[in-house]
Amino acid sequence: MAAHVNILLVDDDPAENVILSALMRKVTSYAITLHYVETVDGALDFIRSSGVALDMILMDNRLQPQADFRETVPELRRAGYIGPVGVISSSISDAYFQKIEDYGVDFRIDKAELDPTAIEFLLREYVRREASAGL
C-alpha cells in the first residue's frame, strides 16, 4: 500500500493545478492528495483552518501581490508551517535562488523538471516516512 501524502500547491495559474494533478496521479509509490489555492492568503487560511496535515507545500515563485518566494515563504513560516516548502519556477537560474534557505525554502525546482520521477524523489527526500504512513 502506498503511503498517503498531502501536498498544497500555491499557484496563481489554475492550469498549473491541472498539470500537477495529472503528474501526481502518475506517481506510484505514494498516494498523493493535491490541495490547491491561488494565493498566499489562501495558503495561510488552508494551513490555519483546513485540519489537513500537510506533508509539503509547493509554492509558485511569483504570486501577486508579493514579488517572489522571498516574501511569500516567510509568511508561511510565520504562520507556523514547519514542513518542507519547495519553490517551483519556470527559471531557477536567477542569483537570488542561491540563498533559498535564508527564506525558509527547502528546495527549488524548474517547472520543466517536474515529472513523476522528480516528485517521487522530492517526497523521499523531504517527507518523513512516519508522517506519510499516518503514524
Side-chain angles (χ1 to χ4, degrees):
M1 183 173 148
H4 183 261
V5 293
N6 285 294
I7 299 174
L8 177 62
L9 172 63
V10 185
D11 196 313
D12 53 8
D13 181 358
E16 293 297 330
N17 180 41
V18 173
I19 293 166
L20 278 178
S21 291
L23 287 175
M24 300 289 176
R25 284 192 296 273
K26 294 179 181 178
V27 174
T28 58
S29 58
Y30 292 88
I32 300 170
T33 300
L34 184 65
H35 306 272
Y36 172 69
V37 295
E38 293 185 12
T39 65
V40 174
D41 287 340
L44 295 171
D45 289 343
F46 189 93
I47 290 167
R48 291 182 184 123
S49 62
S50 71
V52 173
L54 289 173
D55 296 296
M56 178 181 290
I57 294 177
L58 294 176
M59 172 77 71
D60 184 30
N61 180 39
R62 296 204 180 272
L63 294 172
Q64 297 302 325
Q66 289 82 5
D68 58 45
F69 74 85
R70 294 174 292 181
E71 295 177 38
T72 57
V73 175
E75 285 192 54
L76 299 176
R77 297 304 188 193
R78 283 192 294 274
Y81 180 73
I82 60 172
V85 175
V87 171
I88 54 177
S89 180
S90 55
S91 173
I92 59 171
S93 59
D94 291 329
Y96 63 83
F97 275 105
Q98 302 312 310
K99 297 189 180 263
I100 60 170
E101 295 85 5
D102 294 349
Y103 300 95
V105 177
D106 295 284
F107 63 90
R108 64 188 184 275
I109 188 164
D110 192 301
K111 286 182 181 181
E113 296 174 340
L114 269 175
D115 62 23
T117 302
I119 293 165
E120 286 189 39
F121 173 80
L122 292 170
L123 290 171
R124 276 196 312 272
E125 289 294 309
Y126 291 99
V127 175
R128 293 188 337 263
R129 294 199 189 285
E130 313 84 53
S132 60
L135 301 175

